[in-house]
């Protein structure tokens, strides 16, 4: 039988038992397909349409149920939310009027006002004239201003990428002046203080202490300070017990607890640096409670100080144990890879300055003291000390090849609170540092870089134009068509910039479009944080410890290992603790037995939901003017806001 043959078997064998068609393009076969395919195609379409329509009520029901069972944010009722809600209400009314005018075929801009009969028509015509003469010019000026900021920021990002490419091409890396063999023979092993600030870090304290205590450095040349700000007495005892365990193994480790927790992390570090024994140490390495440095961390970072008395900081890169855990962590990984691979590497090489990341870095203690030490005036104490050290003439080194393992926030709630602090703090610091920067003795170029690039362009301009351009101006232009937003601003340039952002994480290319949409969605949080920090609003001083899950490797801990660890910990507590400690241990057991496990709570975010409906309303309006790119962008961006507003991205927290 020929390869192109078709065999048809019929049940009625008296008429036809077997039909063999060798020519698929024969007229008989083609005519039969014409008769059969449209009917089948129509049935398939109707079936799919029926299924789709059947899913809509279920979707709305699930959304309604989710909102009803949700835990509302207690602080959502701010000015920004009220503005978005008012904008949404006006947009819905305008959409209804536009749809009514569209179906009545009102082309009132071509009609003489004296020929208009209806009051409604006259009102609509007056609105068209008013928006064209008064609203559109102002909106066009604001649009042009935001586009200029957008282009300047895009040029800055492009220059950073070119600088990174040049460093890769020329294989430029920080070098150690002296022979590295000094470390092997022990001739260069300065005294190093290792600090682990923590606060209620129940999930991660053991693994972080364990990783730091296993650093490959002479035991008599480094000291570990566990700086505990926990307010849970049972947890305090557990952390203290972990420190005692490592002390028995020969590690120089000290447990410190503050009774008065002021200044958050900055106050904790400041308190630790006042100890008398600190003067015996030359360098201090800082690790947050979820960081797990490799044993050779100090051997790869401390030698960069040798022969360079003007170097204050050696910063290492972060890597993440849970970057592939969910969509939220994948998108965070894209951002942070660009931050480390491009921003910090380029700024470290060409400017000898970048913002300290707060952890996984080694400081020269002399530089900390000369720069004024840790201050409690902002929520970004790491950026604060970095700026002050740079103004005093100290230099920074970034080593991209040295990496410390840590954890990304897996829930949107934790990520949102983290981003709020990261974007409100720099604006607080900018207000405080601007006079000092202007009067400092550094060069004009360094002053310009710090003011316009480090603070304004990357900390203020980026959230401002992202929110204003894509969440406010674009929906407005749908209802005020006299002020148009070019397609290259909406589509082409953002896609190019997203591709540049994603280059340091090439495995994330399939998530290009989700990344672009999610970054625009986060603009509302970043814009709100930027404004609160700039104008010293109450939320600017919020400090919430980022929720951790306690992942200690690329794969999760095995259940067996976890059970063994718990048993060992219980044995240690039973063996070592005093009567008061035993009472605390009993309280812990009672606490675990009496309190039932909380179910995961639903969260809704009203700003994001309001913006979702606003963008979807504008998308419906764009259909009337047949604007393809604008419609698809507004549709998908609105759906992204809806997903985030209903907390359907990342893991939920209980």
């Amino acid at each position: 039988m020929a390869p192109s043959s078709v065999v048809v078997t019929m049940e009625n064998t008296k008429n036809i038992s077997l039909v063999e068609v060798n020519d698929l393009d024969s007229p008989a076969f083609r005519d039969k397909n014409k008769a059969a395919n449209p009917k089948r195609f129509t049935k398939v379409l109707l079936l799919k349409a029926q299924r789709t329509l059947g899913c809509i009520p279920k979707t709305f029901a699930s959304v309604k149920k989710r909102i009803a069972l949700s835990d509302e944010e207690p602080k959502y009722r701010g000015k920004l939310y009220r503005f978005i809600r008012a904008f949404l209400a006006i947009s819905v009314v305008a959409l209804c009027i536009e749809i009514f005018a569209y179906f009545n075929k009102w082309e009132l801009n071509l009609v003489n006002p004296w020929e208009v009969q209806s009051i409604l028509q006259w009102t609509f015509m007056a609105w068209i004239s008013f928006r064209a003469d008064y609203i559109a010019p102002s909106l066009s000026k604001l649009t042009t201003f935001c586009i200029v900021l957008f282009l300047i920021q895009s040029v800055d990002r492009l220059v950073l990428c070119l600088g990174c490419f040049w460093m890769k091409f020329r294989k430029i890396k920080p070098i150690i002046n002296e022979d590295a063999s000094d470390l092997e023979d022990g001739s260069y092993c300065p005294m190093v203080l290792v600090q682990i600030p923590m606060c209620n870090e129940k999930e991660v304290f053991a693994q972080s202490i364990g990783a730091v205590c296993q650093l490959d450095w002479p035991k008599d040349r480094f000291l570990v300070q566990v700086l505990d700000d926990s307010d849970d007495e049972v947890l305090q005892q557990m952390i203290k017990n972990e420190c005692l365990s490592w002390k028995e193994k020969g590690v120089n480790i000290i447990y410190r607890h503050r009774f008065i927790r002021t200044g958050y992390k900055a106050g904790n570090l400041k308190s630790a640096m006042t100890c008398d024994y600190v003067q015996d140490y030359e360098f201090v390495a800082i690790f947050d409670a979820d960081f797990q440095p490799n044993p050779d961390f100090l051997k790869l970072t401390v030698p960069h100080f040798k022969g360079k008395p003007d170097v204050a900081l050696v910063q290492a890169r972060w890597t993440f144990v849970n970057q592939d855990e969910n969509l939220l962590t994948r998108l965070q990984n894209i951002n942070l890879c660009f931050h480390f691979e491009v921003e910090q590497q380029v700024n470290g090489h060409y400017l000898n300055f970048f913002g300290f990341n707060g952890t996984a870095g080694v400081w020269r203690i002399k530089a900390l003291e000369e720069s004024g030490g840790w201050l409690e005036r902002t929520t970004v104490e790491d950026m604060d000390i970095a700026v002050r050290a740079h103004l005093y003439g100290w230099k920074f080194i970034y080593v991209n090849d040295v990496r410390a393992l840590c954890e990304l926030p897996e829930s949107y709630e934790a990520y949102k609170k983290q981003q709020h602090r990261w974007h409100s703090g720099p604006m607080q610091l900018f207000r405080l540092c601007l006079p000092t920067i202007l009067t400092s003795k550094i060069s004009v170029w360094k002053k310009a870089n710090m003011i316009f690039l480090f603070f304004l362009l990357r900390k203020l301009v980026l959230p401002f134009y992202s929110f204003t351009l894509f969440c406010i101006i674009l929906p407005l232009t749908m209802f005020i068509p006299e002020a148009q937003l070019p397609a290259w601003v909406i589509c082409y340039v953002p896609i190019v910039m997203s591709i540049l952002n994603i280059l340091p994480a090439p495995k994330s290319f399939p998530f290009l479009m989700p990344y672009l949409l999610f970054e625009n969605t986060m603009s509302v949080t970043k814009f709100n944080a930027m404004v609160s920090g700039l104008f010293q609003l109450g939320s600017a001083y919020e400090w919430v410890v980022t929720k951790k899950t306690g992942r200690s490797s690329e794969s999760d801990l095995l259940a067996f290992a976890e059970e063994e660890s718990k048993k060992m910990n219980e044995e240690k507590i039973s063996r070592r603790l005093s009567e008061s400690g035993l009472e605390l241990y009993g309280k812990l057991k009672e606490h675990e037995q009496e309190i039932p496990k909380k179910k995961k709570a639903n969260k809704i975010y009203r700003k994001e939901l309001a913006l979702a409906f606003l963008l979807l309303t504008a998308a419906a309006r764009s259909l009337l003017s047949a604007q393809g790119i604008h419609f698809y962008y507004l549709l998908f961006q609105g759906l992204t806001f809806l997903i985030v507003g209903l907390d359907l991205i990342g893991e939920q927290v209980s």
Side-chain angles (χ1 to χ4, degrees):
M1 188 179 292
S4 60
S5 299
V6 177
V7 178
V8 181
T9 303
M10 308 295 292
E11 294 182 0
N12 191 353
T13 56
K14 294 181 180 179
N15 297 327
I16 301 174
S17 61
L18 182 67
V19 177
E20 182 176 316
V21 182
N22 293 316
D23 187 5
L24 294 178
D25 295 326
S26 64
F29 191 82
R30 201 163 50 240
D31 293 341
K32 189 173 182 180
N33 277 341
K34 286 183 179 178
N37 286 342
K39 294 181 179 180
R40 291 182 180 178
F41 184 68
T42 304
K43 290 181 180 179
V44 171
L45 284 181
L46 290 174
L47 182 60
K48 289 186 176 181
Q50 183 182 1
R51 290 178 179 175
T52 304
L53 292 174
C55 291
I56 292 176
K58 295 180 180 178
T59 303
F60 278 104
S62 62
V63 170
K64 184 178 179 181
K65 181 179 179 181
R66 186 176 187 83
I67 294 176
L69 297 176
S70 63
D71 292 339
E72 297 181 3
E73 285 184 297
K75 298 182 180 180
Y76 76 87
R77 297 185 182 277
K79 293 182 179 179
L80 181 60
Y81 173 70
R82 290 197 293 268
F83 167 76
I84 297 172
R85 191 173 58 179
F87 190 11
L88 172 61
I90 295 172
S91 300
V92 172
V93 173
L95 177 62
C96 295
I97 296 173
E98 294 278 355
I99 292 175
F100 184 80
Y102 177 81
F103 283 104
N104 282 276
K105 299 181 180 179
W106 288 354
E107 297 292 341
L108 299 184
N109 55 336
L110 303 177
V111 178
N112 190 336
W114 301 107
E115 298 177 0
V116 178
Q117 300 293 331
S118 171
I119 296 178
L120 187 59
Q121 288 179 327
W122 186 88
T123 305
F124 185 68
M125 186 173 184
W127 157 246
I128 292 177
S129 177
F130 177 79
R131 79 185 186 190
D133 295 338
Y134 297 100
I135 301 180
S138 301
L139 182 60
S140 297
K141 291 178 182 178
L142 179 61
T143 302
T144 303
F145 176 67
C146 289
I147 290 175
V148 170
L149 296 179
F150 174 46
L151 292 177
I152 293 174
Q153 201 272 336
S154 299
V155 170
D156 172 61
R157 187 141 298 194
L158 179 62
V159 171
L160 286 173
C161 290
L162 291 175
C164 182
F165 174 77
W166 181 252
M167 291 182 66
K168 294 289 184 183
F169 178 73
R170 301 286 297 184
K171 297 181 179 180
I172 299 174
K173 295 180 180 180
I175 58 174
I176 299 173
N177 289 342
E178 302 296 331
D179 189 1
S181 62
D182 293 346
L183 282 174
E184 302 298 332
D185 57 23
S187 60
Y188 182 71
C189 286
M191 299 289 285
V192 179
L193 181 67
V194 183
Q195 295 178 333
I196 313 176
M198 60 177 64
C199 178
N200 297 325
E201 306 280 3
K202 181 179 180 180
E203 296 81 7
V204 295
F205 76 88
Q207 61 194 41
S208 61
I209 294 174
V212 167
C213 290
Q214 297 180 66
L215 288 171
D216 188 8
W217 200 255
K219 298 296 183 183
D220 60 337
R221 308 296 292 176
F222 85 103
L223 171 69
V224 179
Q225 276 186 323
V226 178
L227 312 176
D228 182 25
D229 264 3
S230 303
D231 54 9
D232 185 345
E233 293 183 0
V234 175
L235 181 57
Q236 293 170 20
Q237 193 63 53
M238 293 171 65
I239 298 173
K240 187 175 182 180
N241 181 71
E242 185 70 20
C243 295
L244 291 173
S245 174
W246 285 102
K247 192 174 185 66
E248 286 185 357
K249 298 177 182 178
V251 178
N252 292 326
I253 184 170
I254 293 177
Y255 173 84
R256 296 189 80 253
H257 177 263
R258 294 193 303 162
F259 292 100
I260 303 176
R261 183 177 176 250
T262 59
Y264 302 111
K265 182 179 176 181
N268 200 358
L269 293 171
K270 180 180 179 180
S271 174
M273 295 300 292
T274 59
C275 298
D276 295 336
Y277 53 80
V278 172
Q279 62 186 359
D280 298 330
Y281 294 85
E282 187 176 357
F283 303 103
V284 55
I286 303 172
F287 299 99
D288 282 350
D290 61 316
F291 275 72
Q292 304 165 55
N294 291 328
D296 59 353
F297 182 89
L298 294 179
K299 286 190 173 182
L300 296 176
T301 53
V302 174
H304 285 280
F305 290 99
K306 189 174 183 182
K308 302 173 186 175
D310 57 347
V311 173
L313 167 68
V314 176
Q315 174 71 60
R317 180 173 176 171
W318 302 357
T319 54
F320 312 105
V321 298
N322 60 339
Q323 64 185 31
D324 298 325
E325 183 63 25
N326 54 45
L327 180 59
L328 179 61
T329 58
R330 291 177 185 273
L331 300 179
Q332 291 179 68
N333 181 58
I334 295 173
N335 254 345
L336 290 171
C337 281
F338 182 86
H339 172 69
F340 290 112
E341 188 83 15
V342 180
E343 287 184 0
Q344 293 214 307
Q345 190 166 213
V346 171
N347 291 331
H349 175 71
Y350 292 103
L351 302 175
N352 295 120
F353 169 71
F354 48 83
F356 174 47
N357 297 322
T359 178
V362 183
W363 276 90
R364 190 187 296 272
I365 294 180
K366 181 182 178 181
L368 286 176
E369 294 172 347
E370 288 188 359
S371 303
W374 300 103
L375 299 181
E376 305 169 10
R377 56 184 182 173
T378 70
T379 58
V380 283
E381 74 294 325
D382 45 8
M383 185 180 293
D384 188 0
I385 187 64
V387 169
R388 286 185 281 117
H390 184 60
L391 294 178
Y392 276 88
W394 291 96
K395 296 180 180 180
F396 302 165
I397 293 177
Y398 175 75
V399 283
N400 193 55
D401 294 335
V402 183
R403 309 192 175 197
L405 209 59
C406 63
E407 186 178 313
L408 290 167
E410 295 183 7
S411 70
Y412 179 69
E413 181 186 11
Y415 179 62
K416 184 177 181 179
K417 291 177 179 177
Q418 180 197 70
Q419 292 300 304
H420 187 278
R421 178 166 54 88
W422 285 6
H423 286 82
S424 65
M427 289 298 97
Q428 299 177 44
L429 183 61
F430 178 66
R431 287 171 56 101
L432 295 170
C433 287
L434 183 59
T436 308
I437 295 173
L438 293 174
T439 57
S440 64
K441 297 180 180 180
I442 61 176
S443 65
V444 176
W445 158 245
K446 288 184 177 181
K447 289 181 181 179
N449 168 70
M450 185 169 286
I451 294 173
F452 294 106
L453 293 182
F454 183 73
F455 277 113
L456 293 182
L457 188 60
R458 297 167 188 168
K459 304 297 189 297
L460 187 147
V461 169
L462 179 58
F464 172 77
Y465 86 75
S466 296
F467 175 74
T468 307
L469 196 61
F470 297 109
C471 299
I472 301 299
I473 293 178
L474 180 56
L476 268 177
T477 58
M478 295 298 100
F479 297 97
I480 307 174
E482 293 82 4
Q484 288 294 324
L485 198 59
W488 59 268
V489 176
I490 302 171
C491 181
Y492 306 123
V493 175
I495 288 178
V496 172
M497 291 299 104
S498 297
I499 291 174
L500 292 179
N501 276 19
I502 215 168
L503 283 177
K507 293 182 180 179
S508 301
F509 261 98
F511 304 95
L512 176 64
M513 293 310 298
Y515 170 73
L516 174 60
L517 295 171
F518 181 71
E519 280 302 294
N520 290 336
T521 305
M522 284 302 301
S523 65
V524 62
T525 296
K526 296 176 181 179
F527 176 82
N528 191 35
M530 179 268 293
V531 171
S532 66
L534 189 62
F535 296 102
Q536 300 292 298
L537 303 179
S539 60
Y541 296 96
E542 288 182 353
W543 180 289
V544 180
V545 178
T546 305
K547 181 71 175 177
K548 315 292 193 318
T549 59
R551 303 186 189 277
S552 63
S553 63
E554 293 294 338
S555 59
D556 293 340
L557 291 175
L558 295 175
F560 175 78
E562 291 180 350
E563 291 298 326
E564 288 297 315
S565 176
K566 290 179 181 178
K567 289 179 181 178
M568 291 176 62
N569 194 38
E570 290 175 359
E571 291 175 1
K572 292 174 186 175
I573 295 176
S574 300
R575 186 172 62 251
R576 296 191 183 122
L577 296 185
S578 60
E579 292 182 359
S580 60
L582 287 172
E583 291 178 2
L584 290 174
Y585 177 66
K587 291 180 181 179
L588 174 63
K589 300 300 291 183
E590 292 176 3
H591 186 73
E592 291 178 349
Q593 293 174 359
E594 293 178 0
I595 297 181
K597 293 183 178 179
K598 294 182 180 180
K599 295 183 179 180
K600 292 183 177 179
N602 296 325
K603 290 283 182 179
I604 59 171
Y605 302 97
R606 302 204 172 232
K607 294 189 190 75
E608 285 80 355
L609 281 180
L611 279 169
F613 294 123
L614 172 63
L615 293 172
L616 293 175
T617 303
R621 172 60 184 86
S622 69
L623 287 175
L624 302 181
S625 53
Q627 299 183 18
I629 292 179
H630 297 72
F631 167 73
Y632 286 114
Y633 172 82
L634 288 166
L635 176 63
F636 289 116
Q637 189 64 70
L639 292 175
T640 305
F641 266 105
L642 185 62
I643 291 171
V644 172
L646 294 174
D647 195 18
L648 298 176
I649 183 171
E651 297 293 331
Q652 296 177 354
V653 295
S654 55

